[in-house]
Amino acid sequence: VGSLQVGIAVGMAEENPIPRLDACCGCIQLKLGVLILCVLQMIASGFMMLLIGSYLLFGYAPGDNLPMLGGAFTLFALIVVMLLTAAEFGFALYAFSDIRKAEPQGIRFYYIVKIVSFFLSLFVFCLTSDWTSPEILNLFISSSISLYCIWCIWSLHEALMLGGEAAAKAGFTLEEASATSPLLKKVAEEKESKGSMQSAYV
């Protein structure tokens, strides 16, 4: 009866209305995929900050020379994008560091920042776009990629918090876990649960 209750409790803990990814792009280990996303985010954010910063510092009007901004060429939009890009760079670095230690906090903050950045980018686009066909296509492609990346990062966080088989499948190991990692807490809880069950049967 005790083992059945434990199994039911675990099953209820794993239930989530949002499906969780087991791999990135269907073939890459989730942890490795999100680490790659963090590195690409830092590279892209660094390049974008240099690009926008040079325009802001030297007073040039971007005009049509920055198609990657999806038509958001006003000074207000550039400043907003600059701040969002800097935030994404910092939290990508934070997530990269915490993933290597099997810590969930940096991953959690990273996907929250990505969600906020996504909606703010949509808001800026709506304010500044001319709604031409290329801009709408660019919005659709970039939004799809952003949402999938957010899904991958969130899935990694959920797998880490669940521990056990979900964390192992995502690519986490006990050897890399820090002292405050939920992986070690899960192991300690399982040992305590087994010990209490054995003592109860005795």
Side-chain angles (χ1 to χ4, degrees):
V1 177
S3 60
L4 178 60
Q5 289 176 343
V6 172
I8 293 173
V10 171
M12 291 176 63
E14 291 182 352
E15 288 181 1
N16 198 303
I18 305 175
R20 177 172 51 83
L21 291 172
D22 290 326
C24 183
C25 300
C27 59
I28 303 175
Q29 198 175 55
L30 196 57
K31 176 189 168 185
L32 178 60
V34 176
L35 284 173
I36 293 172
L37 287 177
C38 290
V39 173
L40 293 178
Q41 176 80 71
M42 287 186 282
I43 294 173
S45 297
F47 174 75
M48 184 67 80
M49 285 189 292
L50 287 175
L51 185 63
I52 299 176
S54 65
Y55 279 112
L56 294 176
L57 289 175
F58 297 107
Y60 295 120
D64 295 329
N65 296 323
L66 293 178
M68 67 184 68
L69 295 181
F73 301 136
T74 64
L75 179 62
F76 166 75
L78 286 176
I79 293 175
V80 171
V81 173
M82 178 76 167
L83 293 175
L84 289 176
T85 303
E88 288 183 333
F89 179 90
F91 282 100
L93 180 60
Y94 185 19
F96 184 88
S97 174
D98 270 11
I99 291 171
R100 293 167 61 87
K101 298 181 293 184
E103 287 282 355
Q105 187 168 344
I107 310 172
R108 184 185 308 120
F109 281 129
Y110 185 37
Y111 79 71
I112 291 174
V113 167
K114 292 288 288 181
I115 292 171
V116 172
S117 175
F118 173 74
F119 283 108
L120 284 177
S121 298
L122 286 181
F123 176 70
V124 172
F125 181 88
C126 292
L127 289 179
T128 59
S129 175
D130 295 327
W131 294 98
T132 60
S133 297
E135 289 179 357
I136 295 174
L137 179 61
N138 182 32
L139 174 66
F140 175 77
I141 295 174
S142 61
S143 297
S144 300
I145 294 173
S146 296
L147 289 173
Y148 184 77
C149 290
I150 292 170
W151 192 15
C152 288
I153 300 164
W154 174 85
S155 297
L156 183 67
H157 175 268
E158 291 298 300
L160 178 56
M161 295 304 295
L162 286 172
E165 184 181 353
K169 188 180 291 186
F172 291 107
T173 59
L174 292 175
E175 289 74 16
E176 65 185 351
S178 65
T180 57
S181 172
L183 291 182
L184 296 181
K185 293 180 181 178
K186 290 286 185 181
V187 172
E189 289 174 0
E190 289 176 1
K191 289 182 179 179
E192 183 179 352
S193 176
K194 290 179 180 179
S196 61
M197 288 173 62
Q198 289 175 354
S199 60
Y201 283 125
V202 172

